[in-house]
Amino acid sequence: MSFENQLKAYIEKVNCELEKNFSERNCLQKSVYDAMSYSIMAGGKRLRPVISLAVCDMLGGETEDALRFGSAIEYIHTYSLIHDDLPCMDDDDLRRGMPTCHKKFGEANALLAGDGLLTGAFEYLSDMEKYKSVDPVTVIRAISAIAKAAGCDGMIGGQVVDLECEEKENVSEETLNYLHYRKTGALIRVAATVGALAAGASDADIRTVELFAEKLGLAFQIQDDILDCIGDESVLGKPIGSDAENGKTTYVTLMGLEGAREKSDAVTAEAVGLLEKYGEKADFVKKLALYLLDRKS
Amino acid sequence: MSFENQLKAYIEKVNCELEKNFSERNCLQKSVYDAMSYSIMAGGKRLRPVISLAVCDMLGGETEDALRFGSAIEYIHTYSLIHDDLPCMDDDDLRRGMPTCHKKFGEANALLAGDGLLTGAFEYLSDMEKYKSVDPVTVIRAISAIAKAAGCDGMIGGQVVDLECEEKENVSEETLNYLHYRKTGALIRVAATVGALAAGASDADIRTVELFAEKLGLAFQIQDDILDCIGDESVLGKPIGSDAENGKTTYVTLMGLEGAREKSDAVTAEAVGLLEKYGEKADFVKKLALYLLDRKS
């Protein structure tokens, strides 16, 4: 199968699973289910569950359980977007061209929809009867890894540091790495962890795919900063590095557009290099890394 | 040991455990840990973990694991208070006589502190190495029960229905039961469930303590409504049933003060009656039910 078709097939699997889980409900608290469903079915790259599926396939596992683990990460990713968009955070009206959850359903419902997705992820993960082949110890390891990645030393911690950096003039590369390792990196990394867990991988293989995903996450973030900068330049005619003007430090403001491109290329190459030992089986995952590096949005 | 001393001993155990888990941290995201610690250490009755400990003791279990399960429920209870106090929800400035989390730390930090406590509960629950005697299958059952109780068909669902009822003129007793069964009832009920799970109880015993806790939760809510009404009357000189004037339906507005008192007494008696079969071992838990019925705040 071509890379594009395989990617499509993975995304289709994830969307099917999510649609099944977020079908319409008829109950007195229907409004919160509607808000959750609106946000999680609004599209997106499904990057995290795709990583779980692809890593599991690469390591020779059956993907049913990886799909479950990865989809739970997508719930958490979606809750984080809903809460980030709230007026007390980024105060965004639009996401992916559609009204944000609180614009559509009101702030209270959006807050609760986020809480519901976060809680729902663990409800879904701990429904032991639904697993195909993983044992209870593996399920607990996955729950633990996901909770850590989403928590205060993971995604939430990164978000807190990000908010504090917005008020600072000088943010070091070290702090920027610390922040992104957690804010976007942690969920990408754990997507690989749980893919490997679902495949029954050895500790050595788990470490390899985690290191791969760590580098992938960093490259992804640098690429995001580059796209933001180019977007600003091409769409609004602002000079390169304009993010610095609103006080936000990014990899582009720290190392320039060329420097950021070089760094992103180098980190992606390192990530891909880690997978050499898996031979052809790693083809899709390697191509996924290069695809993310080349993306335009 | 007297009831009062036993209650104190349980509360002390819970406070020790929480203090250990929320000791000061030194990291870049320190502010979110500070906000979490501020809210969870602000006191409170520790009703939910006390129920877990007492049920476990009643059923002859070792309480170390019940303490862990019950404390995780206290994390979730605390997160729900932080989010409920936010401006887009109840917009409260004070809780237990102290500034609410968002008044003290700002809205963004309070939102993230709530998210952090909710996520932290599952991180803490899934740290398998820390359990004393329960096996992985029991831990997953506890995680599943807690997530369900906290989720959209539990506490969050009740909160959603409550928000919607505020805008309605006529709320039936059926809807009020539906709402409170979830909003306050679900966490109280699951506190008993996990206490029984920690004790390795039979399914029959689990069902009994859940039914007990269900009735306890209902009596607790009716009592809350009575205290609100009496408080309004004695403190502010407002007439009985004044909640009806701000449009809020309560058990007192539905059945009158005397009717509510009778209902609360009857439900408590039913709850206590369920525990007869445990003989003397149920003494503390029975007294706890009567204590909650007699409370003044």
Side-chain angles (χ1 to χ4, degrees), chain A residues 28-29 31 33 36 79 83 88 107 111 115 118-119 122-123 126 136 140 144 147-148 152-153 160 164 178, chain B residues 28-29 31 33 36 79 83 88 107 111 115 118-119 123 126 136 140 144 147-148 152-153 160 164 178:
Chain A
L28 290 179
Q29 64 271 38
S31 60
Y33 284 111
M36 285 158 66
Y79 116 76
H83 281 188
C88 70
E107 263 185 77
L111 173 67
D115 293 343
L118 174 55
T119 314
F122 293 102
E123 202 175 331
S126 60
I140 294 183
S144 176
K148 267 202 190 101
C152 289
D153 201 37
V160 171
E164 287 176 4
Y178 182 96
Chain B
L28 290 180
Q29 65 271 36
S31 59
Y33 283 112
M36 285 158 66
Y79 116 75
H83 281 188
C88 70
E107 264 185 78
L111 173 67
D115 293 343
L118 175 54
T119 314
E123 202 173 331
S126 59
I140 294 183
S144 175
K148 266 201 190 104
C152 289
D153 201 38
V160 171
E164 286 177 4
Y178 182 95

Side-chain angles (χ1 to χ4, degrees), chain B:
Chain B
M1 210 187 298
S2 72
F3 169 76
E4 285 75 16
N5 283 344
Q6 179 65 69
L7 180 60
K8 244 182 168 165
Y10 282 142
I11 293 174
E12 186 58 29
K13 260 194 184 181
V14 175
N15 285 335
C16 269
E17 177 72 9
L18 295 175
E19 254 167 48
K20 200 181 69 189
N21 298 346
F22 290 89
S23 58
E24 216 178 316
R25 310 262 180 137
N26 251 326
C27 56
L28 290 180
Q29 65 271 36
K30 179 179 166 10
S31 59
V32 73
Y33 283 112
D34 288 346
M36 285 158 66
S37 172
Y38 172 82
S39 287
I40 205 160
M41 297 317 296
K45 290 183 272 289
R46 310 297 188 204
L47 173 61
R48 293 151 194 83
V50 164
I51 291 174
S52 302
L53 288 168
V55 163
C56 182
D57 258 341
M58 178 181 85
L59 297 173
E62 300 245 11
T63 54
E64 281 86 350
D65 297 333
L67 178 62
R68 197 168 184 86
F69 290 157
S71 298
I73 298 175
E74 192 72 8
Y75 287 27
I76 292 176
H77 174 58
T78 305
Y79 116 75
S80 77
L81 300 180
I82 296 175
H83 281 188
D84 278 3
D85 287 337
L86 284 172
C88 70
M89 301 283 284
D90 292 348
D91 195 12
D92 278 320
D93 292 350
L94 291 173
R95 174 163 297 272
R96 298 178 188 131
M98 286 162 70
T100 46
C101 192
H102 67 275
K103 278 284 155 190
K104 177 101 178 168
F105 295 92
E107 264 185 78
N109 275 322
L111 173 67
L112 292 168
D115 293 343
L117 282 166
L118 175 54
T119 314
F122 293 103
E123 202 173 331
Y124 173 64
L125 283 168
S126 59
D127 188 355
M128 201 60 219
E129 286 172 18
K130 298 284 170 59
Y131 288 99
K132 188 124 181 195
S133 53
V134 291
D135 61 12
V137 171
T138 305
V139 171
I140 294 183
R141 280 181 75 182
I143 292 175
S144 175
I146 292 172
K148 266 201 190 104
C152 289
D153 201 38
M155 184 180 71
I156 293 172
Q159 179 65 39
V160 171
V161 178
D162 196 20
L163 285 174
E164 286 177 4
C165 282
E166 277 176 19
E167 290 157 18
K168 282 182 192 155
E169 292 218 350
N170 287 309
V171 177
S172 67
E173 189 176 337
E174 192 190 347
T175 301
L176 206 62
N177 285 338
Y178 182 95
L179 180 177
H180 290 305
Y181 180 82
R182 288 163 177 76
K183 188 180 172 185
T184 50
L187 285 195
I188 290 177
R189 181 183 148 107
V190 79
T193 313
V194 297
L197 282 173
S202 67
D203 284 349
D205 282 337
I206 293 175
R207 270 197 303 278
T208 301
V209 300
E210 284 182 340
L211 198 55
F212 163 80
E214 208 173 295
K215 290 179 186 293
L216 189 75
L218 178 58
F220 184 82
Q221 184 58 48
I222 299 173
Q223 190 60 15
D224 245 17
D225 288 352
I226 292 171
L227 289 169
D228 274 351
C229 170
I230 294 175
D232 282 354
E233 186 190 22
S234 60
V235 178
L236 303 169
K238 283 195 282 179
I240 286 169
S242 61
D243 271 345
E245 284 165 28
N246 60 39
K248 197 162 169 67
T249 305
T250 73
Y251 286 104
V252 175
T253 66
L254 273 183
M255 45 184 78
L257 193 54
E258 262 324 293
R261 276 187 177 132
E262 278 165 25
K263 176 88 176 171
S264 171
D265 284 351
V267 174
T268 302
E270 282 169 32
V272 167
L274 287 167
L275 305 181
E276 284 309 326
K277 61 178 163 184
Y278 301 113
E280 276 182 12
K281 288 192 171 168
D283 278 356
F284 178 84
V285 183
K286 286 183 192 169
K287 282 181 187 156
L288 181 66
L290 298 168
Y291 169 82
L292 291 175
L293 188 68
D294 280 341
R295 75 202 151 94
K296 300 282 174 272
S297 69

Side-chain angles (χ1 to χ4, degrees), chain A residues 38 42-44 85 92-101 103-104:
Chain A
Y38 172 80
D85 287 338
D92 278 319
D93 294 350
L94 291 174
R95 172 162 301 271
R96 296 177 189 133
M98 287 163 68
T100 47
C101 193
K103 279 284 156 189
K104 176 101 178 167

